[in-house]
Amino acid sequence: MSYLDLSIREIHEALVNGETTPLELTKEAVARAKANKENAFETICEKEALEFASSLTEVEKDNVFYGIPYIAKDNFSTKDIETTASSNILKGYVPLFDATVITKLKAAKAVMIGKSTLDELAMGGTGTTGHLGTTYNPYDPEHKRMVGGSSCGSAASTAASIVPFALGSDTGDSVRKPASLAGLVGLKPTWGRISRFGLFPFAPSLDHVGYFTRNVEDSALLLGLLSGRDDKDSTSSFKPVEKYEEKIGESIEGVRIACIKEIDESITDPALLKKYKVSIDALRKQGAIVESVEFGKDLLDSIYATYIVISCAEATSNNANLDGIKFGPNYGGKTYQDVMMTARTKGFSELIKRRFVIGSFALMRENQDVLFLRAQKNRAKIVEKTNEILSKYDFVLTPAAPGVAPLFGAKSDKLSDEYLIADNHLAIGNFSGLPSITLPLGLEDGLPLGINIMGRAFEEKELFKVASAFENITGLKGLSVINKKEGNL
Ligand code: GLN
């Protein structure tokens, strides 16, 4: 047992009581990072982290983040620390500024010990497309299973107890899906709640800062720290930041929860179905009203295509600056066009090239009406339906993934009918910008299963209330590879 295996609040208490120090915690986190076998790191910032931790000598009793080690996905700009988004085209790129979330964590004296791997440029969901190769699921020591992506390294390192929390980004499900496969709490708050300044854009109408923790309270505390208006991100909200942990532990009597009939019907894994059903019964026993509603199968079937058209179109346009001239290595060439062609040919993996082709195709003048605008209209329909459900219910509860972590090779990011709904419905949270949290549900043969709860815009406090009730039902608070539990379901 190490302090790193505890919650943020528990580590804080140990710091206040003088049982450990930021330097000790940092040394241990760095040692665990170096020993990690999951290929979770782009960079381990040993020198910077030890230097910063050494300067933390006066514990701040009212600041739970003081001296807490964490990891950031490598698509957050970090001043003076190489930031590549796991892409060859950005190799050697050292930003001149910090992302706002990094600035806030620094100001709170949390210690960044490393930058984690991702699917290249945060596109993809397998944790296999980054330039350092595959990131593995720590729950499978044989390394046959995915941890999922794109925030693969952040998920793997939180589950492996290297740090109590790690930053990720979520455009379609990149925090909430890996959270499910790695037995973690994964939050994507309301769009605009956390500033995205310094997060490399993938598809800004869908992009969110998100993160992994091992319990609900830590997730709420972190939202309080990271949220708020930032003039450097004009899409960040002016809404006041709340004490998001305030309602944790309150009764869920009378809370109205909708399950989506077609999503539930798309689940075929018997263990998942069983645990999911038992958890719903337990919610009802606590006084929650849980009902099944229809969304419309056609609408749900269309999520993936809608997501791909919109996200690829936005990605193509946002990544136009990756031309081999402004950032990253010089791949050579005689003319501007030459340089760009070579850099993009050598700098991008197959997945990125495919997505940029799709994006450019959807944005061609002659295709805009039938592809891009049609996808936008369909997105509006999906959002309208979601809001209609949330006008009658407080939350939507769904399984977060079709089952446990898939084997490598069993899945790619190409369109497949197999789990068309079960694998893609989390993107509803990105289309609508609504807050959405994944929680561990149970384990099947030692591998985690997860559920997701989505709430109304800016009602994160309520979301944490129901999430903590769910956490008590499963008994999986603090789950990690080191702190393995069977759970109650
Ligand atoms: N897996 C999705 C994709 O392939 C989501 C990525 C993300 O949320 N960044 O794009």
Side-chain angles (χ1 to χ4, degrees):
M1 244 291 284
S2 139
Y3 290 107
L4 294 173
D5 306 330
L6 304 176
S7 70
I8 293 173
R9 197 178 297 278
E10 287 164 338
I11 303 174
H12 175 65
E13 274 159 25
L15 284 165
V16 170
N17 296 336
E19 294 164 36
T20 184
T21 64
L23 188 58
E24 268 172 35
L25 288 170
T26 301
K27 278 186 181 160
E28 192 166 357
V30 167
R32 284 189 177 189
K34 284 180 163 173
N36 108 91
K37 303 223 164 26
E38 277 74 46
N39 188 29
F41 291 91
E42 284 288 332
T43 313
I44 298 173
C45 314
E46 182 171 12
K47 190 172 145 279
E48 295 86 348
L50 291 178
E51 235 168 69
F52 187 42
S54 309
S55 75
L56 304 178
T57 50
E58 292 291 321
V59 59
E60 294 173 5
K61 289 197 174 78
D62 298 329
N63 169 15
V64 288
F65 292 98
Y66 177 91
I68 306 282
Y70 78 97
I71 288 160
K73 187 173 177 178
D74 201 34
N75 58 349
F76 286 96
S77 288
T78 43
K79 187 174 186 298
D80 299 333
I81 294 171
E82 186 182 3
T83 305
T84 66
S86 291
S87 180
N88 278 331
I89 208 158
L90 284 170
K91 235 175 162 173
Y93 168 58
V94 180
L96 298 169
F97 61 91
D98 280 326
T100 293
V101 283
I102 303 285
T103 306
K104 287 192 176 210
L105 283 159
K106 232 179 229 175
K109 305 190 175 82
V111 182
M112 190 181 80
I113 65 129
K115 305 287 302 285
S116 61
T117 51
L118 54 148
D119 277 300
E120 185 175 359
L121 301 172
M123 294 179 215
T126 57
T128 61
T129 67
H131 65 176
L132 297 186
T134 298
T135 299
Y136 303 102
N137 192 319
Y139 277 88
D140 173 24
E142 291 181 23
H143 287 171
K144 291 191 177 137
R145 288 182 189 270
M146 294 177 187
V147 66
S150 63
S151 311
C152 47
S154 285
S157 46
T158 312
S161 215
I162 296 170
V163 283
F165 75 92
L167 297 179
S169 62
D170 190 311
T171 305
D173 60 14
S174 274
V175 165
R176 293 160 299 146
K177 179 74 75 62
S180 180
L181 306 183
L184 296 167
V185 175
L187 176 79
K188 172 202 87 58
T190 309
W191 193 82
R193 184 62 300 185
I194 300 180
S195 165
R196 297 176 298 172
F197 175 74
L199 168 67
F200 292 4
F202 163 7
S205 80
L206 304 164
D207 290 343
H208 297 67
V209 171
Y211 50 80
F212 303 91
T213 61
R214 295 191 298 260
N215 69 77
V216 172
E217 192 197 16
D218 284 357
S219 189
L221 291 170
L222 197 49
L223 188 62
L225 176 71
L226 300 181
S227 291
R229 169 68 190 173
D230 175 14
D231 286 341
K232 291 178 181 159
D233 173 3
S234 61
T235 67
S236 66
S237 171
F238 285 95
K239 271 199 192 284
V241 177
E242 297 173 87
K243 274 198 167 311
Y244 295 103
E245 68 280 16
E246 224 165 49
K247 292 197 170 182
I248 287 180
E250 281 186 12
S251 156
I252 55 160
E253 175 94 47
V255 159
R256 297 179 62 81
I257 301 174
C259 295
I260 310 289
K261 184 172 161 279
E262 301 89 338
I263 295 180
D264 294 352
E265 283 171 1
S266 73
I267 302 296
T268 51
D269 182 315
L272 172 56
L273 279 172
K274 184 167 159 266
K275 287 187 200 297
Y276 179 56
K277 198 180 158 304
V278 178
S279 75
I280 290 173
D281 292 343
L283 285 168
R284 286 192 178 122
K285 271 200 198 107
Q286 296 197 9
I289 299 149
V290 188
E291 289 172 353
S292 185
V293 302
E294 283 181 26
F295 198 98
K297 185 160 180 316
D298 286 352
L299 217 43
L300 292 168
D301 276 341
S302 71
I303 289 174
Y304 187 75
T306 306
Y307 169 77
I308 282 294
V309 171
I310 295 175
S311 67
C312 291
E314 290 190 31
T316 308
S317 145
N318 277 293
N319 288 288
N321 60 352
L322 300 181
D323 54 9
I325 293 170
K326 300 178 190 76
F327 313 97
N330 182 344
Y331 284 101
K334 288 198 192 81
T335 61
Y336 177 86
Q337 287 86 344
D338 242 17
V339 171
M340 186 158 167
M341 180 95 82
T342 319
R344 295 196 140 215
T345 303
K346 293 193 177 151
F348 293 141
S349 68
E350 186 226 322
L351 178 145
I352 301 296
K353 288 176 194 159
R354 188 168 61 244
R355 290 199 180 196
F356 287 171
V357 169
I358 295 171
S360 306
F361 189 73
L363 288 176
M364 280 166 71
R365 189 179 295 275
E366 57 271 41
N367 296 335
Q368 276 189 14
D369 276 357
V370 10
L371 289 173
F372 190 60
L373 291 178
R374 196 161 151 215
Q376 298 287 19
K377 284 181 192 160
N378 205 52
R379 172 181 182 171
K381 277 191 189 170
I382 293 168
V383 173
E384 206 176 300
K385 185 72 207 174
T386 309
N387 285 332
E388 184 195 312
I389 294 171
L390 284 170
S391 68
K392 300 189 193 105
Y393 295 87
D394 304 307
F395 304 103
V396 173
L397 172 72
T398 56
V404 297
L407 291 163
F408 289 111
K411 207 160 262 184
S412 73
D413 85 314
K414 290 179 193 157
L415 188 60
S416 120
D417 276 346
E418 198 185 356
Y419 295 120
L420 191 56
I421 293 178
D423 238 345
N424 298 302
H425 68 80
L426 291 181
I428 295 173
N430 304 76
F431 289 159
S432 59
L434 297 173
S436 170
I437 191 165
T438 290
L439 303 162
L441 170 68
L443 284 97
E444 183 187 356
D445 298 330
L447 297 167
L449 292 163
I451 60 104
N452 182 270
I453 310 174
M454 182 168 65
R456 296 197 198 98
F458 295 102
E459 292 193 5
E460 278 87 356
K461 235 201 282 196
E462 301 296 324
L463 189 65
F464 288 125
K465 176 177 93 176
V466 72
S468 79
F470 199 90
E471 185 176 58
N472 290 334
I473 287 171
T474 62
L476 291 175
K477 185 175 183 171
L479 178 69
S480 73
V481 173
I482 291 185
N483 192 9
K484 262 199 185 167
K485 315 174 173 201
E486 275 311 307
N488 301 330
L489 305 178

